[in-house]
Amino acid sequence: MARTRNTKHITTSGSSPSGTSMRRTLRREAPSTVGLLADEQDFAAMQRYRTFTFDDHTVYLRQVEGLLKTLAAQGMHTTVALFDPEEYAEFCSESGIAPDAPASRSRFTAEIASAGATVAYTGQAIDSLIPLLVGRAVRRATWEYATMLLAELGECADCGQDIGRAAFDRASHLLLRMLEAAGPGTHHLVCSTPTENEHLLAVLHTERDTAGPARLESAEGTEFVTVLAVGIALEKPGGVVLRTSRAGTDDRVHGWRLVGGSLTPLTAGEVFSAYCTDADTGEPVAPESRVEYCAGFDLGADEPEPHR
């Protein structure tokens, strides 16, 4: 596309831009990805490679931040990907490439950018960017693990229906019913589902205006539904908490208990107790001001429309 525009410009203007100028234009239209070693342990693991010349993690982070600012100043779209040394070593071994080479690190960064968790750089300070990136990576790993669990469940012996697909449809249906009942506002939801090996946690932040039905279009929505579907399919104990904010009113908190693959509303007292108890110590926590603790509402017993 860029080449076509440049060709037209040459034809109509009668003057030819220099090769350097054209390459600079193309460079601005080529996205960049920067692999980031977010913590000191990962940074130390990369120091075993001779071609990795950094020796101080703090200095390294500031250099990365400087690079990001430079790329942004050049008008380039840049994403940041979490660089994992263990995954990098495995990638090099499987690909048959030398790990102690800048080209190998560049190739691995391109690989994780296409399939892993990334954050678009929009001028964030590096200290703000790292938690965003780590959080995105954790969410991605949670979604991948939950997806794997659902895929391994196979078909129902009685009806032949795909158990994971049915649970995902049911979870989507329940979430949309929840948002419909909550009405307009800013909604923050947390789903907790224990499994045999992991305790899965998903967070969804979404907004709904006064017009139209509730919709889920974000990657967070898919991640949330997948984790809820695991609890439904495995019939594990878990729960969902919904906090709704609207301008000029107190926040409202509702809660549900996941029992036998269904969401059962909590009472107002149970929601208060869950929200005002420290999860680690069990000690009471002072309730927040301008927050109303409410019973969960009935989500109905109807089933989602079957897939065709």
Side-chain angles (χ1 to χ4, degrees):
M1 184 179 296
R3 186 172 300 166
T4 301
R5 284 202 296 269
N6 287 332
T7 302
K8 288 182 178 179
H9 176 75
I10 293 169
T11 302
T12 57
S13 68
S15 62
S16 174
S18 68
T20 301
S21 175
M22 294 177 70
R23 285 193 296 273
R24 189 177 296 119
T25 299
L26 288 171
R27 185 71 183 93
R28 285 198 298 269
E29 297 188 17
S32 294
T33 304
V34 175
L36 178 65
L37 295 158
D39 62 49
E40 292 189 18
Q41 183 176 351
D42 287 344
F43 179 83
M46 291 301 295
Q47 287 183 298
R48 69 177 182 266
Y49 300 120
R50 179 185 55 81
T51 57
F52 184 81
T53 57
F54 290 95
D55 56 12
D56 184 278
H57 188 237
T58 300
V59 172
Y60 161 81
L61 291 178
R62 297 310 163 199
Q63 290 295 322
V64 170
E65 186 172 37
L67 172 62
L68 293 172
K69 289 179 178 178
T70 299
L71 294 172
Q74 294 172 354
M76 296 174 58
H77 175 75
T78 305
T79 57
V80 183
L82 196 64
F83 196 105
D84 186 301
E86 291 186 6
E87 292 182 1
Y88 172 64
E90 292 175 4
F91 172 81
C92 291
S93 177
E94 293 172 357
S95 303
I97 58 177
D100 196 358
S104 299
R105 293 194 287 274
S106 178
R107 182 173 165 181
F108 175 69
T109 299
E111 188 79 12
I112 58 177
S114 65
T118 61
V119 171
Y121 178 70
T122 57
Q124 310 98 317
I126 196 73
D127 293 339
S128 301
L129 188 63
I130 289 175
L132 286 175
L133 185 59
V134 172
R136 186 73 54 85
V138 169
R139 280 176 35 211
R140 176 85 183 191
T142 299
W143 171 75
E144 289 176 349
Y145 179 69
T147 300
M148 179 194 69
L149 289 178
L150 292 177
E152 290 178 344
L153 293 176
E155 296 181 350
C156 174
D158 296 326
C159 66
Q161 189 176 31
D162 186 286
I163 297 173
R165 179 74 259 181
F168 187 91
D169 290 345
R170 177 63 178 162
S172 300
H173 177 71
L174 289 172
L175 179 56
L176 288 173
R177 288 292 300 270
M178 195 178 295
L179 293 175
E180 288 282 358
T186 299
H187 305 297
H188 185 80
L189 301 99
V190 178
C191 177
S192 174
T193 300
T195 68
E196 184 175 346
N197 299 315
E198 300 283 347
H199 191 106
L200 304 183
L201 193 69
V203 177
L204 173 62
H205 186 84
T206 185
E207 295 186 14
R208 182 187 170 204
D209 57 26
T210 56
R215 289 184 174 86
L216 292 176
E217 300 175 349
S218 67
E220 279 189 2
T222 302
E223 293 161 3
F224 188 95
V225 168
T226 305
V227 170
L228 178 56
V230 169
I232 291 173
L234 300 181
E235 298 188 351
K236 294 289 187 179
V240 174
V241 173
L242 163 68
R243 179 167 180 159
T244 298
S245 303
R246 299 189 188 99
T249 64
D250 292 351
D251 285 6
R252 296 172 62 87
V253 178
H254 302 268
W256 293 263
R257 181 183 292 109
L258 190 57
V259 179
S262 298
L263 285 175
T264 302
L266 296 175
T267 66
E270 288 173 326
V271 173
F272 178 88
S273 177
Y275 228 78
C276 299
T277 301
D278 187 290
D280 296 324
T281 66
E283 295 295 320
V285 177
E288 297 181 57
S289 61
R290 298 190 60 80
V291 174
E292 185 177 353
Y293 301 93
C294 312
F297 25 84
D298 185 11
L299 300 176
D302 58 314
E303 294 294 329
E305 292 292 329
H307 273 285
R308 298 184 182 276

